[in-house]
Amino acid sequence: MTTRLQDAAATPFALEMLGITKRFPGVLALSDVTIQVRRRQVHALVGENGAGKSTLMKILDGVYAAGTFQGSIRLDGRPIAMRSPADAKTLGIGYVPQEITVLDNLTVAENVFVGAWNGRGARFVRFPRLFDRAAALLERNGIQLDPRRAVATLNASQRQLVMIARALADDPVVLILDEATACLTRDESRTLFRIVERLRDRGMTTVLITHKLAELFEIADRATVLRDGTVAAEFDRSAFDERRIVAAMIGRTLDAFYPTRDSRIGDGEAIRVERITVPHPHVARRNVVEDVSFSVWRGEILGLGGLVGSGRSEVVNAIYGRIPSRGSVWVDGRKVVIRNSFDAKRHGIGLLTEDRKRDGLLLDKSIRENVSLHDLRRISRFGIIDRARELDAARAFVRKLSIRAPHVETPVSTLSGGNQQKVVLSKTLFAGPRVLLLDEPTKGVDVGAKYEIYRLMMDLAREGIAQILITSDLPELLALCDRFLVLARGRVADTFTKSEASDARLMLAATGG
Amino acid sequence: FLLMAVAACGPRSTGTSNPATTKKKFYWVQGLKGHPVHQLTQIAFLEGCREFGYDGEIIGADNDDLSSTIALAEQALAKGDAAGMAVWTGNPGWNPFIEKAARTGLPIVLPHFPSPEGSVPGASGIISCDPAAYAAEAAKEIGKAIGGKGAVAVTQGSFNSTENLVAVTFAKTLGDLYPDVKVLEPQEETFDAPKAIARAVSILQANPDVVAALSTTGNGATTWSGAQRETGKSLVVVSMDYTRVNLDLVKDGSIHAVIAQPLWEESFGAAELLDRIVRGESIPWWTKLTAPFLTREKTGPYYALIDKVEAAIAR
Amino acid sequence: MRKFVESIRRLWAIPEAGILAPLVVCAVVFQSINPTFLGESSVSAILRAMAFVGMIAVGQTWLMISGGIDLSVGSVAGLCAITASWLMKAQGWPVPAGIAAGLAVGAAAGLINGVLSVRIGIPAFIATLGMLYVARGLNYLLCKGYPIYPIPDALKEFGRAEPLGLSWAFLLFAALVVLADLCLRRTVYGRMVYATGGNVEVAAIAGIPTTRVRIACYVFTGALAAAAGILLMCQLNVGQPEIGTGWELDVIASVVIGGVSLFGGVGTVVGTFLGLLLMQVVRSGLVVAGVNTHWQTVAVGVIMVVAVGVDLLRRRTKIS
Amino acid sequence: MRKFVESIRRLWAIPEAGILAPLVVCAVVFQSINPTFLGESSVSAILRAMAFVGMIAVGQTWLMISGGIDLSVGSVAGLCAITASWLMKAQGWPVPAGIAAGLAVGAAAGLINGVLSVRIGIPAFIATLGMLYVARGLNYLLCKGYPIYPIPDALKEFGRAEPLGLSWAFLLFAALVVLADLCLRRTVYGRMVYATGGNVEVAAIAGIPTTRVRIACYVFTGALAAAAGILLMCQLNVGQPEIGTGWELDVIASVVIGGVSLFGGVGTVVGTFLGLLLMQVVRSGLVVAGVNTHWQTVAVGVIMVVAVGVDLLRRRTKIS
Ligand SMILES: Nc1ncnc2c1ncn2[C@@H]1O[C@H](COP(=O)(O)OP(=O)(O)OP(=O)(O)O)[C@@H](O)[C@H]1O
Ligand SMILES: Nc1ncnc2c1ncn2[C@@H]1O[C@H](COP(=O)(O)OP(=O)(O)OP(=O)(O)O)[C@@H](O)[C@H]1O
Ligand SMILES: [Mg+2]
Ligand SMILES: [Mg+2]
């Protein structure tokens, strides 16, 4: 016994996954993957969409129970077998999944301590104490949320923070962050990394999945690159090199991360919004967006900057008629009345929403059916659907955006997160909008595919399509947009052109300095 | 007997002086209040009340859940203006309610459902026909009509004491009188016409030797005439209740006969019994009435009765 | 032999196989117990009995795929039958006008259900349960609980006619099944119904007029309930106020057995048809097999659960 | 005045206010139409009538919050009443044994419902609808449709007793409401029920034994259905096979009116209590107000919808 313990202590690895192979019907998701994570390190896992990162982590969290895959897992040198996520939790594995999973009808505090509200074995829930503990935990980790608030009223990034707090609540030995930073702003990501560093110093090991390579340089000690379900390369921090990592990921070299703008902004106003005001959904006489006015020219890309909760999503959703608002909208110089999404689409506006699971996709339906959804008229004759045309349309997008799937008939629920995002984009583009509202279009998309999306945006710009971009990836925003509008607490804080733009100016405006 | 009933609606023994009490309301408590047969009884009861100088009021829920009707009745009694009450039930579940109401000195009469003396504490008497009697008569008539051979199907609207009694007595009597006749196990007819017809057809399918059918419920006429049409068979069908639909089915030969429970008489009679109790007379436990077996020739007077009820409903 | 196994396996892959298998098993079992089971009159009785609940089930299929549910269907069927017969008998309306009015009442009830649940946001369960009571009350207010009789001879003839040895009600139902199935699978409208039921938000963003689609499904279901009620009235030759009582659970059971999800977005009309057929085959078969009437009730419950269990099994085998 | 407005506004913010408001309005209206409405015997009749459906509604509240639903409750109540009375009368079992057996049958029915829907994955709607038929069939197999009578005197006494001018059934129900409400709000178990109903997967990841929680809610509901059936049997003083017929919709309606979502995760027992009270006040009040029976049916439907509508309105009003 003692020798084994000594053995265990002797391994430098907190976590080892050895020879993991996992199959889904028609897909070999992982093939003989081995990763070894050193104690007190932040180990990054990167790779294209569908490379198998989330699958590997789900195995580690017991979502796919022992026996449904081949290979072994060791924690501190001891082999472990898990039947459920609950087992993983007991072993000290904290998991922040890629998809948002919160209990909408409970409070933030109850979500954070879900299942163990008052410590194990307690019979009664003492709410005052629960709220205090939650407040303390949130405070300690620099998360600004009211523990008493119902999670139903939070937006995507706030929900993400709730999930992170939940994983931290158990003082995990190993923390898995599966694209936890995808919808966080850079500030929030930084706060998260400070927490991770602090806990690392106290002995925690972290596995970080991200598509934002900058984050590797910021925090990772080591990185494993997965490609097509196999380990393509491993790098130590000293050997980090953006180009080489990307090449390992996508199997070819990428000359630049952002395409250069090769077209001119057209003349003529594509869309103009005037004094748009969005009342708060729950609080009387308070507005989440107030008097925001701007216009976008044909072929122009307008970037909406701001912190989480500054009301960026509300602006585009209001324009699209999804939430009640006041103010007026002109499209192509004509004043239009948009009472609902139907009107918005009729006037040539397209929207890509930020939460693909909630309102992005028909998860049970195939890629084909999702792609064609936005323009059923185009694939039908006299109201009858033409299967062949529908198939062609779907195949075209699968090729164009290199969506990785066994078939166009595959249900989108089985696609990897990034590939789902590409389907969302496809279906929005299928309607051929003249004004495109993009709320986090590259969320969870790998570097290679991101580049494809950027190129697509440039193509659209060339075709004269006006675009409004919201993204929490600051470099991306700065690189792609022609003009910027920064929101702070629902109001326009600053507006400037590309030539005047800088990191600092954007952040200054956003923080209301 | 029917003439008597129709006559009963005319002016009659006028000598009754108004009761001494100030309470002048007779309640008629009955579940499934909207049921057409129940409506007929309600009209008869109200007519009886008028006849004997009382206000009549009908209490009941639309469903046949007794607890909801009891709740309604308790509330009505809480108003304190009751001089008497007739409760349409053969269900001991009502006993506590009846007993409690009787403890306040309220005269209570039970129409339609026969039950032995003493089985309903607090009730003064019952007024009804004897289901065993009409079941036996139906057995005789059917046995005669089919010449003592073949099988007879029996369907029940639901399984309750009265329908069970009819089915059992029928089978026993028919078996005793005509040993060659096979009486099938009773099947539940249900109250949904398409399901009931399909089930009757299946019975015929499974038992090709069926030549007659008895339904212990009023819908049986529609059920079995439908089943005959669908299978092209011709049976001797006997059902309950003299609704206009059923009388027409008897008249056009679709079914052989309906059994006319003395609904009008027992309901009208319930008011009379209550009046007698209020006036201090004593009444026998069971005021027994007969239930005529209506074949084609005998339907005539019942059309008149139906006309009368329809006129009353139209009012 | 291997070919046989292969073709069985291929059949098993059809979405409706999960319900077809228990159906076939039941039919075979009943037939072997009593060889008259699949006789002509028995089959035609089974088919005829399906027509009424079946028509409504088609509407309910669309409605549930779109994400709604309607508990008032039976009650509305009764109300419409009574309205039509009352207008014709007591008000002397001509037959076509009476029938049109009956259908209009059904559609109106559906419209109210739709507006209450979709526009105002009252849970469909409560909105349509409310309608169940309202329609039943109005029904009895109109006819005072008394059957409306006689109805015009033309309707009586229509109700008794036996085209192809079946009934007009069944033929109309069969035509409806084919049409509704094609529409749902093949047309843009059908696709909109699936999308709306799958995820309203996604459908709305795609520019689908979800409110209109959802309300239309309610109206459609209401009108079909009216049609079923009126057709049954023709067959019974009397405006029975009890028409439709308790149909709501029968309808929903058939639809769910046929593979429609209570959460919307999934299912087919053919599935519903098979679900209806299974229920009716079981009900008739148990009688023909000579099972005691109370054991029949038990068996209906058991077979219902087993049928859905088999369907589950099929879906699980497909994945692995 | 301003204070009054302020306190009204604060009341309005309580989650149960949405259902309380229509309740108070109805009570005031009926009282002004007929001043005997809130008389002692009338109120006690209202309370007593609630007890049976009410008990089951408490179980159903837990069950629906946990994400399940049980349509078999009425049928199971009937079966358990008959089982208990049959064992005591025909088999000569002593009273406690008979009652324990009746409760055990209810719990077993709940367990089967739970295993079928939670473990095997048959939609709860179908699993429990199947149980509805099975329980009804067994019920009639036991008693053949004859009421079982008399039942032991002890039960008769118990059923007739009027503690506090009410009934034991009501007092048990009231105690149950208080207990169940506290448990749901305050205990770890109650919060597990909410978490499970809110999102099973999340709850499972958090280490909550969701399968056990969900099945337990079914068992709890089944046992309460049994208790309601047996208590009604005591009050009626007879094992009536019709006990419980049609209760399922009443139960679900009260629960939903009280604010429980059909999708799980939301609701309170107090809400359900108010929902039950509203339904009973409306039913009794309409009679006391002398409304025609059929209009009563209509009014029940309308008020049900309006009550839920008011609750919606409350939730939409913004906090200031
Ligand atoms: N339940 C499932 N059924 C079938 N295939 C699946 C399932 N889950 C994942 N896959 C497939 O396994 C592969 C790996 O998916 P995974 O989610 O691990 O990718 P990922 O690396 O996390 O990608 P992303 O960066 O887009 O999140 C993909 O091809 C995906 O389609
Ligand atoms: N459903 C809701 N209920 C209550 N408040 C909400 C709701 N949705 C958004 N808010 C609030 O509205 C404000 C603006 O949110 P919005 O989602 O527009 O932010 P954002 O700038 O798009 O941030 P991000 O997209 O990065 O999360 C925030 O204060 C947010 O908390
Ligand atoms: Mg992933
Ligand atoms: Mg946003």
Side-chain angles (χ1 to χ4, degrees), chain A residues 149 153 155 157-158 280-282 288 307-314 354:
Chain A
R149 203 155 147 195
T153 65
N155 64 21
S157 42
Q158 291 165 324
H280 194 284
H282 302 294
V288 283
L307 303 177
V308 176
S310 57
R312 297 167 301 170
S313 298
E314 260 72 9
E354 67 181 322

Side-chain angles (χ1 to χ4, degrees), chain B residues 34 36 39 159 186-188 192-195 198-199 201-203 205-206 222 229-230 244-245 248 306 310 313, chain C residues 34 36 41-42 45 48-49 52 144-147 149 160 232 235-236 247 250 280 283-284 287-288 293-294 296:
Chain B
Q39 286 202 331
F159 285 75
Q187 293 265 352
E188 187 175 6
D192 183 31
K195 256 191 240 159
R199 189 163 280 195
V201 170
S202 300
I203 295 174
Q205 199 72 31
T222 312
R229 235 187 3 262
E230 290 200 7
R244 187 183 292 278
V245 186
D248 275 2
I306 300 255
E310 280 179 0
I313 287 174
Chain C
N34 186 335
T36 67
S41 73
S42 175
R48 275 197 241 184
F52 309 103
K144 313 224 162 59
Y146 215 69
Y149 179 81
R160 301 244 162 131
L232 180 55
Q235 181 180 315
L236 298 178
W247 283 3
D250 273 1
Q280 199 54 51
R283 289 215 170 108
S284 298
V287 179
V288 170
T293 188
H294 302 308
Q296 284 177 31

Side-chain angles (χ1 to χ4, degrees), chain A residues 22-30 46-58 64 98-99 178-179 209-211 226 229 356 404-406 410-422 443-446, chain C residues 319:
Chain A
K22 171 77 188 168
R23 259 170 235 285
F24 293 109
V27 183
L28 179 60
L30 295 170
V46 293
E48 275 183 299
N49 295 133
K53 306 177 295 292
S54 297
T55 306
L56 192 64
M57 291 303 106
K58 283 181 190 165
Y64 301 127
Q98 184 171 8
E99 305 301 339
D178 193 350
E179 301 194 27
I209 298 179
T210 179
H211 288 294
L226 282 188
R356 63 174 167 264
R404 194 178 293 247
T410 314
V412 293
S413 58
T414 65
L415 298 186
S416 76
N419 283 306
Q420 288 182 357
Q421 188 67 20
K422 293 187 208 165
K443 178 173 159 188
V445 174
D446 69 55
Chain C
I319 286 170

Side-chain angles (χ1 to χ4, degrees), chain B residues 95-96 98-100 102 108 118-123 285, chain D residues 149 156 160 237:
Chain B
N95 289 5
I98 290 169
E99 198 177 343
K100 197 171 130 199
I108 297 168
S119 65
V120 187
W285 172 253
Chain D
Y149 180 81
K156 186 170 152 182
R160 294 219 182 156
N237 189 24

Side-chain angles (χ1 to χ4, degrees), chain A residues 320 322 342 358 383 385 390, chain C residues 186 188 191 199 201 205 207 265:
Chain A
Y320 204 68
R322 293 184 69 206
F342 180 74
R358 192 154 70 172
I385 293 195
E390 190 183 15
Chain C
R186 289 294 153 121
V188 168
R191 199 55 85 71
N199 186 331
E201 285 291 310
I205 291 168

Side-chain angles (χ1 to χ4, degrees), chain A residues 145 149-159 183-185 188 278-283 286-289 304-317 323 354 358 439-440 470-472 487 489-490:
Chain A
L145 280 177
R149 203 155 147 195
V151 166
T153 65
L154 303 182
N155 64 21
S157 42
Q158 291 165 324
R159 284 154 183 258
C183 64
L184 297 186
T185 56
E188 282 172 320
V278 179
H280 194 284
H282 302 294
V283 185
R286 195 195 301 167
N287 299 322
V288 283
V289 172
L304 279 189
L307 303 177
V308 176
S310 57
R312 297 167 301 170
S313 298
E314 260 72 9
V315 169
V316 292
N317 283 321
I323 51 175
E354 67 181 322
R358 192 154 70 172
D439 198 351
E440 310 279 3
I470 299 174
T471 173
S472 48
L487 297 183
R489 271 174 258 103

